[in-house]
Amino acid sequence: MLDTPEAVIEALRENDERPHGLQRTVTAEELVEAAEPFDEPDVLVTALLELMGAYEFTGEHRKSPVVFARVLKLWDTAPESFSQWEAHQVFWRFKWVTTSLLEVPEVPLAAIRGWIDQMRTRYAAAGHGMQPVAAMGYHVARHTGEGLADAYDLWATRPRTELSDCEACEIRHFAGHRVAAGDDAGALETWLPVLGGATGCTEEPQMSQARALLPLLRSGRADEARSHHLTGYRQVRGNTGMQDEVGLHLEFCALSRNEGRGLEILAENRPLFEATGAPLARLGFLTGVEVLLARLTEDGYADAAVAGPPGRNWTAGELLVHVRSEADRLATAFDARNATTAVGDRRRARLAQRPLLAEPLPLGLRTSLTRLPAAGSAPEGATVSTAPATTAPVTSASAGTTVPRDFVSLVREARRLAAAGHPGEHRLWARVEELLADGSAAHDDALGPEELLQAELADQRAYLLIRKDRDTESAAELKRAAELYEGLGMPWHALSARSRSLAWLSTHDEADQDAIRAGLDEALAEAAHLMTQAPWTQGKDAEGHAERELEYLTVLYSATFAAYQEAVREVPETAGPAAERFAARAGTLRAEAERLSVPHHVANALQFAADLAGRSGDTARAEDDLLAALEAVDASGRPWRGSRPRALLAQLMLARDEPARAVELLHQALADAARYDDTDFAVAPTYVLLGHAASHLDDVNGAVRHLSEAAARFDLDGAHDEATDVRLQLAEVLARSGRQADAVAVLESVLAGESAPAGDERPLAQARLTLARGLRELGEYLPAAEEFLRLADIVAAWEDDGQVLTLVAAEAATALAMAERWDAAAAAYERAVAAHAEAPNPSLIIHMMCEFARLTMLVRGADGLDAALDHLAQADAVRAAVPEDAEDFAPWHGRGTVHYRRARVLAEAERFEQALTEAEAAIAAHEEGGEHGEVLRAEAVRIAALIEGNGLARFEGAIARLTAAAARCRRAGLPEAADILDALRQDYLKR
């Protein structure tokens, strides 16, 4: 019941602890009503200031000035009702009112300027400096576009006062001024203290992070842009007081070609469409939405389903029309109020922007939508659109393969690339097939027999089908191709088709390997027969080889490939029939390729041998064979064949701890795959290797960049389990490098709600543990506790690993205590103790109990002493119960930990003599740990000296203790610990 002033004050105190949002705002409104009947204006003052704060931080700028008018009236009539802090807030919140009035287009500009005049008058009367008043003048000038230079000079040249905006917020405005002037570099330099974490506030760095995204992209600093998007968006999502910032993240997604991510952000922020209390911020949000939707509709996705205002379903095109209409209306209203075009001009400039990157910036996040293609390209899996027949060629969007428009030229170019083994042939054959299928082209006698083209297309279809593991269909296509080749009097081509069919089938364990082996032996015998019946008589290819030579070597290659597959199944066994058969087949292929001067088949034989050697542990031979294979590729005139051996060699270099060489090889492999349109090359796994190599080189940005790219490409390939695994590796790299906020963003995307991928439970459990710890490190204690509790329920079913439950329950208990959810913390505490009884982990339980003692004192002060000492007594009991021969438990560490915490607890309760005794016991315990206990011993000495000096005023004893301990730390190679002790010693000497 709120029937007394004391009850209202207590309710206000409780409400102040809630996060800003609807519940806090509604409660604040109710508390103002409850405070009004009392004849005590001080209660009403507190309630009104609480309500104004709730409006300010939830974007209710229409309501905030009305509340402040009531506060100001009380200030004029009953100033004695204001505490010192509340009196300060009266002057501080003049600025809030100015910015709130600017947010509402119905408020005349003259009224806003009149308000600033009143602010100036009141500041002067109270003896306050004018810099905050000048800042408000600048904000009006920036908004209207009038008198900006003078207003900026008037503000920027004045010294800061105690009523100036916090330093972080002023930095945001200074940097924004430079961005508006086109000086991205200067803006980013100005932003450095905020973006670098040196300064911040409740609104920073997240507001600056949103505004810095595009300047970072424009400046080529994509790694930083990625990081600030990951960490900044988490802080603004769903926040009605951060509509503008959400719009900026949407704009970033559109201009970094991450439209799929943008649509997910739109869905997460659907309630913002109903937030109307801050029209200017709403305009910023709607403009960001429009930038995203315009990109989608321009790329042909107008009919895609998107999240819009609740109450109906929306397509991108429909929502674009709706958003554009409302945003235009708002911009027009502001420009009418201001009598300038500044607001509309800024909106038009944002809408005129084009994507800043040629390819999507990999963000490392799991999304439910695949990466959308760049403007002008077709969706994944689509072919190039039909165009009128012309002799002018077009170039593939993905690589340098030229696609002739003339059908005869197209087929001839496809045949030329096929003869050269160029990977770009596949794109051209696909185009040939498309044109024939839709009737846009027909066979031309200039291309030779129609059966030849049909055989070539069947061959190509078989290749595409085997890549999709559709073995039966692939074999049928190759059978058809072989029959057509036979009918054309092309026995070598027919034999090649049959042998390839058998080789491809050999990759499957369930295939009849004996039948495959027999079929390939028969093909080899037929090849030997054909050598006498059909010698090399046809024309030469670009390298001077007869087509029949190449088909003959393809038969040998097929037999070698099948033998390689058998040998791989026997690894690490390096002897036996499979290994012998492979050695014979590879030897024949290499010898015949050398005899016929076909280096790329020499490289194939060497690459097979190298891979088997590497799998068997003979890395030296593997390296030699791969280097020889690359020499053969260089001699072949087919540079596109170098990507795979380079990637294999890079793996060996990583195993030998030569990451720099691995990076060079992998970059060249990827560059060649892109240059020659090699769509078969394993790009995603190669980016994973690059990420690992960069991590070994301590290049965190490089590792993040490459692992993010790998995850995105796995998603595009439909390999979502592999993408998840890579994201877990990415999160580990981020967390290990101290970028916890980035790691948390990645892990949240992997584990988000019902979209969390199925798979091996343990890696995902580890991911959830890392996420929970990351949230705790970021100070998000309640979300951390929720993750720990969710994980505890998962691992409780692991009968073979009970210690994990002990760990998770203990960490959940501590996180709940940090969040001051004491009832839930107590339950988790008991669960951890019970789990410890079944699966002991004494070190962890002792740590939990000591943490509870610390947190109890932190919250309750001296009143919590008994409870804190009880936790420590329980910790002593756990320690005493550990068997002497227990593994992974150092008795000295357990004793020292409890004594140290008890010393601090007693000191906080001002029981200094007992505290000093405990501190000295901690010193003695840690000394038993030898070199492993030196750092802990030094910390215990520091606490003992603080108790001795500050608590008991025994400075000489404390100085002597510190002098000896600092010298000991230096002898132990711990200069930082010694410096800390010396600093305290110098402080005591001065006293």
Side-chain angles (χ1 to χ4, degrees):
M1 295 292 292
L2 301 175
D3 51 1
T4 67
E6 292 75 18
V8 173
I9 290 295
E10 180 59 30
L12 284 166
R13 186 177 296 112
E14 291 177 2
N15 201 42
D16 187 56
E17 295 175 358
R18 293 190 177 99
H20 283 290
L22 181 61
Q23 181 184 1
R24 178 167 175 173
T25 301
V26 170
T27 303
E29 290 172 337
E30 292 171 350
L31 291 174
V32 167
E33 292 180 8
E36 286 173 336
F38 303 126
D39 190 22
E40 297 188 25
D42 55 331
V43 179
L44 183 57
V45 166
T46 304
L48 287 169
L49 289 174
E50 164 65 18
L51 178 57
M52 186 179 180
Y55 285 154
E56 177 72 17
F57 290 104
T58 54
E60 291 287 353
H61 293 286
R62 293 181 184 275
K63 300 178 180 179
S64 183
V66 177
V67 177
F68 188 68
R70 295 183 65 185
V71 172
L72 205 55
K73 183 176 180 179
L74 285 167
W75 173 252
D76 289 336
T77 59
E80 69 282 356
S81 301
F82 289 72
S83 68
Q84 184 178 355
W85 179 85
E86 290 168 341
H88 177 81
Q89 287 298 302
V90 170
F91 291 96
W92 183 269
R93 297 191 185 191
F94 266 97
K95 300 179 297 179
W96 289 11
V97 174
T98 303
T99 53
S100 291
L101 294 174
L102 275 177
E103 283 275 350
V104 183
E106 293 86 355
V107 177
L109 205 57
I112 299 172
R113 289 184 169 131
W115 177 259
I116 296 175
D117 289 340
Q118 183 182 167
M119 177 182 174
R120 181 182 295 106
T121 300
R122 288 183 178 266
Y123 269 49
H128 294 305
M130 290 294 113
Q131 195 259 14
V133 180
M136 296 303 102
Y138 168 75
H139 292 325
V140 173
R142 174 81 179 89
H143 175 70
T144 62
E146 289 189 329
L148 184 59
D150 290 342
Y152 179 79
D153 288 342
L154 189 63
W155 165 48
T157 57
R158 288 178 178 267
R160 285 174 50 79
T161 76
E162 65 174 352
L163 289 170
S164 296
D165 280 344
C166 79
E167 186 177 0
C169 288
E170 283 211 337
I171 286 172
R172 178 179 76 247
H173 296 311
F174 282 128
H177 183 80
R178 302 192 79 164
V179 170
D183 181 11
D184 285 342
L188 293 171
E189 183 178 355
T190 301
W191 254 317
L192 189 59
V194 174
L195 298 181
T199 185
C201 66
T202 57
E203 296 179 333
E204 291 293 350
Q206 58 267 33
M207 292 183 76
S208 287
Q209 285 176 313
R211 285 158 177 75
L213 293 172
L214 296 186
L216 285 166
L217 275 189
R218 290 193 293 260
S219 302
R221 295 162 62 174
D223 291 333
E224 294 168 76
R226 176 196 301 108
S227 178
H228 289 306
H229 170 64
L230 294 181
T231 61
Y233 173 66
R234 290 188 68 252
Q235 300 303 314
V236 304
R237 65 184 173 197
N239 187 339
T240 55
M242 293 281 180
Q243 291 182 82
D244 204 358
E245 286 68 28
V246 173
L248 291 169
H249 282 279
L250 288 168
E251 179 180 69
F252 165 79
C253 290
L255 301 182
S256 65
R257 297 191 184 275
N258 280 283
E259 294 91 342
R261 164 71 169 165
L263 290 180
E264 289 201 337
I265 290 176
L266 197 61
E268 287 181 330
N269 292 276
R270 198 173 189 184
L272 296 190
F273 282 105
E274 298 181 304
T276 60
L280 188 60
R282 179 174 179 78
L283 175 61
F285 168 67
L286 294 175
T287 301
V289 174
E290 187 175 349
V291 172
L292 173 68
L293 296 175
R295 292 290 314 138
L296 289 170
T297 55
E298 184 177 324
D299 283 345
Y301 294 94
D303 294 331
V306 299
R312 58 161 288 189
N313 295 325
W314 297 87
T315 66
E318 291 168 343
L319 184 58
L320 176 60
V321 172
H322 174 80
V323 166
R324 180 170 288 162
S325 174
E326 185 176 356
D328 282 345
R329 179 185 60 78
L330 283 171
T332 301
F334 279 111
D335 284 345
R337 189 267 303 273
N338 301 333
T340 69
T341 62
V343 173
D345 289 344
R346 284 193 290 272
R347 169 172 154 72
R348 285 183 284 273
R350 288 179 68 182
L351 295 174
Q353 295 174 108
R354 308 300 299 165
L356 297 169
L357 302 174
E359 296 291 335
L361 173 66
L363 299 176
L365 300 175
R366 179 180 184 270
T367 68
S368 59
L369 300 158
T370 56
R371 177 186 289 179
L372 296 173
S377 64
E380 182 70 15
T383 53
V384 181
S385 59
T386 303
T390 173
T391 56
V394 296
T395 301
S396 161
S398 62
T401 302
T402 300
V403 184
R405 294 190 186 278
D406 173 69
F407 185 71
V408 171
S409 300
L410 176 64
V411 174
R412 286 174 174 167
E413 180 64 8
R415 286 172 174 171
R416 185 187 71 81
L417 293 182
H422 192 295
E425 66 162 309
H426 305 303
R427 189 177 304 279
L428 302 192
W429 286 123
R431 180 64 174 151
V432 170
E433 185 103 61
E434 177 191 351
L435 293 175
L436 289 172
D438 67 13
S440 301
H443 180 264
D444 192 306
D445 290 341
L447 296 172
E450 184 174 357
E451 291 80 5
L452 175 58
L453 181 57
Q454 293 303 320
E456 291 166 326
L457 291 173
D459 213 330
Q460 182 64 200
R461 284 193 295 273
Y463 165 79
L464 296 175
L465 289 164
I466 203 67
R467 286 178 60 197
K468 299 176 181 178
D469 294 327
R470 293 161 64 177
D471 307 341
T472 303
E473 297 166 84
S474 175
E477 290 292 346
L478 281 172
K479 180 181 179 182
R480 180 165 183 262
E483 291 171 349
L484 288 167
Y485 285 133
E486 290 281 7
L488 290 165
M490 301 172 69
W492 281 108
H493 289 73
L495 181 59
S496 170
R498 291 197 298 273
S499 65
R500 276 182 283 123
S501 175
L502 292 166
W504 292 343
L505 287 172
S506 72
T507 61
H508 298 279
D509 292 335
E510 66 275 10
D512 187 344
Q513 300 296 333
D514 290 338
I516 291 171
R517 196 181 314 119
L520 286 168
D521 287 343
E522 183 180 330
L524 291 170
E526 185 176 346
H529 176 70
L530 281 175
M531 291 278 284
T532 62
Q533 300 296 316
W536 326 127
T537 57
Q538 287 192 351
K540 303 287 185 178
D541 68 2
E543 287 86 33
H545 306 123
E547 286 185 4
R548 294 180 179 184
E549 293 178 29
L550 297 177
E551 299 299 346
Y552 164 64
L553 289 173
T554 298
V555 176
L556 298 183
Y557 173 87
S558 298
T560 305
F561 178 82
Y564 160 79
Q565 294 294 337
E566 282 193 81
V568 164
R569 293 186 185 93
E570 301 296 323
V571 170
E573 180 62 48
T574 57
E580 291 174 5
R581 188 176 300 106
F582 168 74
R585 294 284 188 254
T588 300
L589 174 61
R590 180 175 179 181
E592 287 296 273
E594 288 174 342
R595 179 178 70 83
L596 296 170
S597 299
V598 184
H600 72 268
H601 272 303
V602 174
N604 287 334
L606 287 165
Q607 186 177 328
F608 283 136
D611 185 59
L612 277 177
R615 290 171 185 263
S616 303
D618 189 351
T619 55
R621 180 184 172 187
E623 182 179 354
D624 290 342
D625 283 347
L626 287 171
L627 290 171
L630 287 170
E631 288 182 7
V633 168
D634 289 342
S636 73
R638 299 184 176 197
W640 49 85
R641 290 185 171 272
S643 293
R644 288 162 183 77
R646 283 193 178 89
L648 287 172
L649 186 57
Q651 287 181 283
L652 293 178
M653 294 302 100
L654 273 176
R656 280 178 35 177
D657 198 23
E658 295 185 33
R661 190 176 175 198
V663 166
E664 181 181 353
L665 288 163
L666 292 167
H667 276 304
Q668 185 172 352
L670 286 167
D672 285 348
R675 181 179 301 117
Y676 300 114
D677 202 8
D678 188 353
T679 55
D680 284 347
F681 181 66
V683 173
T686 304
Y687 273 111
V688 174
L689 288 175
L690 257 179
H692 292 166
S695 185
H696 282 296
L697 291 168
D698 293 327
D699 176 10
V700 176
N701 282 336
V704 171
R705 186 184 318 125
H706 300 315
L707 291 174
S708 298
E709 182 65 37
R713 288 180 178 271
F714 274 129
D715 275 338
L716 277 176
D717 294 338
H720 299 303
D721 288 344
E722 289 84 349
T724 294
D725 182 62
V726 172
R727 289 191 173 97
L728 298 182
Q729 296 174 47
L730 170 61
E732 183 182 347
V733 168
L734 290 166
R736 194 168 59 240
S737 64
R739 290 165 59 174
Q740 287 290 353
D742 297 53
V744 163
V746 172
L747 290 169
E748 283 180 336
S749 80
V750 172
L751 299 167
E754 297 180 0
S755 65
D760 188 347
E761 193 175 46
R762 291 179 187 257
L764 292 178
Q766 178 62 51
R768 199 172 292 283
L769 178 62
T770 305
L771 171 59
R773 288 172 170 170
L775 289 166
R776 183 181 62 199
E777 188 168 325
L778 294 174
E780 299 179 34
Y781 300 125
L782 188 56
E786 290 169 351
E787 289 297 336
F788 279 126
L789 291 171
R790 195 172 290 120
L791 180 58
D793 291 339
I794 293 171
V795 303
W798 295 1
E799 297 179 359
D800 61 332
D801 204 349
Q803 279 202 346
V804 176
L805 177 59
T806 307
L807 180 149
V808 174
E811 297 213 37
T814 304
L816 284 164
M818 289 177 167
E820 298 189 28
R821 299 298 177 92
W822 289 102
D823 290 343
Y829 186 103
E830 294 304 320
R831 185 179 191 181
V833 171
H836 168 70
E838 297 293 328
N841 191 333
S843 296
L844 183 71
I845 294 298
I846 289 170
H847 174 76
M848 176 192 74
M849 291 171 170
C850 288
E851 275 293 280
F852 265 70
R854 178 184 72 83
L855 292 166
T856 298
M857 294 299 293
L858 183 67
V859 173
R860 297 173 57 189
D863 291 341
L865 177 62
D866 290 342
L869 291 175
D870 182 61
H871 286 304
L872 294 172
Q874 292 182 57
D876 271 331
V878 170
R879 177 184 57 78
V882 179
E884 292 185 5
D885 59 349
E887 296 182 1
D888 300 324
F889 181 76
W892 64 268
H893 187 277
R895 287 199 313 278
T897 297
V898 179
H899 282 306
Y900 171 83
R901 182 51 56 194
R902 189 178 283 114
R904 297 201 63 163
V905 163
L906 289 166
E908 288 167 28
E910 298 187 2
R911 291 166 60 169
F912 299 119
E913 290 289 359
Q914 293 171 279
L916 182 58
T917 300
E918 290 294 327
E920 289 176 336
I923 294 169
H926 289 314
E927 191 156 354
E928 293 179 27
E931 64 179 9
H932 301 294
E934 283 296 333
V935 172
L936 295 171
R937 182 188 184 281
E939 169 60 12
V941 168
R942 186 183 73 86
I943 291 301
L946 284 169
I947 295 168
E948 217 169 10
N950 294 346
L952 297 170
R954 299 174 188 169
F955 292 106
E956 290 185 2
I959 289 168
R961 186 190 300 276
L962 291 165
T963 302
R968 177 174 177 144
C969 285
R970 288 200 166 82
R971 290 195 300 273
L974 300 171
E976 291 183 9
D979 289 344
I980 291 170
L981 296 173
D982 275 339
L984 181 56
R985 174 177 172 273
Q986 291 298 323
D987 179 49
Y988 283 171
L989 284 170
K990 291 175 184 176
R991 299 192 197 183

